[in-house]
Amino acid sequence: MNTKESGFSTKLIHAGEIDDQFGSATIPIYQTSTFAFKNAEEGAKCFAGESNGYIYTRIGNPTIDALERQIAVLENGFGGIAVSSGMAAVNVIYQALLASGDHMVSTDAVYGPSRAIMENHYIKYGVESTYINTTDSSQIEKAFKPNTKVLFIETPANPTMDISDIAACAEIAHKHGALLVIDNTFCSPYLQTPLDLGADIVFHSMTKFINGHADIVAGVVIAKEETIYKKLRGMMISLGCNMDPHQAFMVLRGIKTLGIRIDRASENADKVAEFLENHPKVAWIKYPGLKSHPQYELGKKQMNGNGCMISFGLKSGFEGAKKLMDNVHLALLAVSLGGVETLIQHPASMTHSKVTKEGKLKAGITDDLIRFAVGIEDAKDIIEDLRQGLEKV
Ligand SMILES: *Cc1c(COP(=O)(O)O)cnc(C)c1O
């Protein structure tokens, strides 16, 4: 069916459909590395780009293709490029858009490995970067240099929940002839479509909300325009970080319930946030759905909901956070997010333990910060788990 005019939830079910000879209701797994041509002429046409036939799975595969078409429709982009992980998406973008002598501006609280590989590895190839608080547009403007080619934004950022203004970022980037890239992992296209707000490229760790079941690692890059899409696609093929057909099948299965999963988790998150905000042992809480969030109005404007991620701190600080981790039973003490299960983690002692104290403070990652990824269990059970855990703090 033609899904261009359909609603988002209909697209989640039907946008990837292919014509398959048996009429299967789901997209089959084409678990093959290569594709045989009917004759020499057909082979020649495929290689010349005159036919859409498949050649080799690193270059293209029907199962992967279905997912790529679907995600491009959901993000309103020209095309999607499915990759092996969220970090593969990051590296395809860096490699395709940056060369020696170029400069990138990015969010200081960006996903740790996105920053670490830039500062530790790409620097060796002469790519410079500046990390700043991108919630402040004047700081972005000041960080730009004549050789800035990419503005790389994560919003809401991880784990501070800071929100950057995508439309304002696009304006600054384009004024300087740079491209705007958005890490849309925390929202998924259900809650935010950055290409509609002026971004040039969007990417996801599909490990999180899009697949949603904490059972695979996957990524995707979506470009708004054909020329950039082709550049990114060529880089993915050369790097060889393609998705596997089985992985694509898993994501095609998980994505169908993206809307209802986020609806349920968001409903829970609103209740959990209210509980935490009123708890006497909680020192502070950052959640886009609370008026106390510093970019509350901006969140309402550019996101279609509050999301399911909450950051908060206890009055008893670092020790209190560890005590709570050890005393919750329903919430899993684990990194990642966006799955059906509730997760809790403590960046200062876990994901960000290797970041210097100074670096953490600059990025707003305080020692007491607890990151809570709300799942789709019953809200009363999630709250009860926190309540009894906080009692022991
Ligand atoms: C998890 C994550 C990534 C990296 O994705 P992987 O699938 O783990 O490689 C990138 N950005 C954000 C915001 C993430 O949460």
Side-chain angles (χ1 to χ4, degrees):
M1 70 176 280
N2 178 8
T3 49
K4 277 243 155 31
E5 305 301 319
S6 332
F8 194 91
S9 296
T10 305
K11 288 175 181 166
L12 285 175
I13 310 298
H14 297 290
E17 277 176 356
I18 57 173
D19 271 334
D20 136 83
Q21 60 175 322
F22 302 113
S24 41
T26 63
I27 314 269
I29 310 176
Y30 288 88
Q31 195 72 51
T32 182
S33 59
T34 196
F35 298 84
F37 305 115
K38 288 196 180 68
N39 50 50
E41 195 192 332
E42 195 199 318
K45 273 192 179 159
C46 279
F47 275 93
E50 290 160 12
S51 135
N52 294 329
Y54 294 102
I55 299 171
Y56 186 63
T57 282
R58 177 160 48 74
I59 301 169
N61 172 291
T63 314
I64 301 168
D65 199 30
L67 176 62
E68 291 176 332
R69 278 185 291 107
Q70 178 170 34
I71 200 88
V73 168
L74 297 173
E75 287 282 8
N76 294 323
F78 173 81
I81 300 144
V83 288
S84 56
S85 70
M87 279 312 295
V90 170
N91 282 292
V92 164
I93 292 165
Y94 288 170
Q95 299 258 359
L97 305 183
L98 294 161
S100 178
D102 290 345
H103 174 247
M104 180 178 98
V105 174
S106 184
T107 310
D108 48 14
V110 76
Y111 182 69
S114 298
R115 178 169 180 170
I117 195 160
M118 179 51 67
E119 293 187 320
N120 301 331
H121 182 78
Y122 285 89
I123 183 87
K124 293 189 286 194
Y125 297 89
V127 178
E128 285 184 307
S129 54
T130 305
Y131 287 85
I132 49 153
N133 177 354
T134 53
T135 63
D136 177 358
S137 300
S138 69
Q139 280 200 45
I140 304 178
E141 188 72 60
K142 265 188 247 154
F144 261 77
K145 299 182 188 188
N147 58 339
T148 306
K149 295 284 164 62
V150 173
L151 176 56
F152 188 99
I153 302 280
E154 186 175 314
T155 180
N158 179 22
T160 59
M161 299 310 296
D162 282 334
I163 299 172
S164 299
D165 187 333
I166 297 172
C169 286
E171 208 179 308
I172 298 170
H174 296 155
K175 193 174 81 188
H176 293 272
L179 295 174
L180 176 62
V181 176
I182 302 284
D183 183 337
N184 204 23
T185 300
F186 263 42
C187 279
S188 91
Y190 188 59
L191 295 182
Q192 178 170 280
T193 46
L195 299 182
D196 293 338
L197 299 169
D200 302 285
I201 294 168
V202 165
F203 75 92
H204 291 274
S205 164
M206 297 202 290
T207 313
K208 315 296 167 54
F209 288 103
I210 293 181
N211 179 58
H213 292 74
D215 48 13
I216 59 151
V217 171
V220 71
V221 186
I222 305 103
K224 190 158 152 181
E225 285 172 5
E226 186 174 5
T227 36
I228 299 170
Y229 165 80
K230 282 191 167 154
K231 216 168 161 175
L232 292 162
R233 178 143 211 110
M235 184 53 70
M236 178 281 286
I237 293 167
S238 298
L239 288 172
C241 55
N242 60 284
M243 180 172 274
D244 175 83
H246 181 259
Q247 210 180 357
F249 173 82
M250 294 291 280
V251 182
L252 282 164
R253 176 173 149 134
I255 201 171
K256 291 180 186 175
T257 52
L258 178 68
I260 56 172
R261 278 189 281 109
I262 292 190
D263 281 347
R264 172 59 171 267
S266 299
E267 216 175 276
N268 286 350
D270 283 346
K271 291 178 186 159
V272 171
E274 191 192 334
F275 165 78
L276 288 171
E277 192 174 39
N278 294 311
H279 197 284
K281 289 185 183 173
V282 172
W284 60 270
I285 169 166
K286 243 164 120 186
Y287 173 64
L290 293 175
K291 289 219 169 70
S292 55
H293 190 289
Q295 294 93 32
Y296 174 79
E297 292 299 331
L298 175 61
K300 283 270 168 288
K301 200 175 90 185
Q302 76 179 17
M303 292 160 63
N304 302 320
N306 304 324
C308 329
M309 299 297 297
I310 299 171
S311 284
F312 65 101
L314 300 180
K315 289 178 181 153
S316 46
F318 186 86
E319 286 311 316
K322 286 180 79 174
K323 196 93 191 201
L324 179 63
M325 303 289 123
D326 286 338
N327 284 289
V328 286
H329 308 300
L330 179 146
L332 303 179
L333 177 52
V335 298
S336 199
L337 58 115
V340 290
E341 54 285 297
T342 295
L343 307 179
I344 191 167
Q345 80 112 339
H346 180 221
S349 69
M350 293 167 66
T351 44
H352 293 69
S353 59
K354 291 201 189 86
V355 181
T356 61
K357 210 175 170 76
E358 201 186 31
K360 273 190 288 233
L361 276 184
K362 202 170 161 271
I365 302 159
T366 48
D367 268 355
D368 63 345
L369 189 155
I370 295 164
R371 197 184 78 172
F372 202 70
V374 183
I376 66 168
E377 302 95 336
D378 288 287
K380 72 169 178 43
D381 295 330
I382 302 170
I383 291 170
E384 173 54 25
D385 189 38
L386 280 170
R387 194 198 56 74
Q388 64 80 33
L390 283 165
E391 232 165 50
K392 305 196 175 85
V393 170

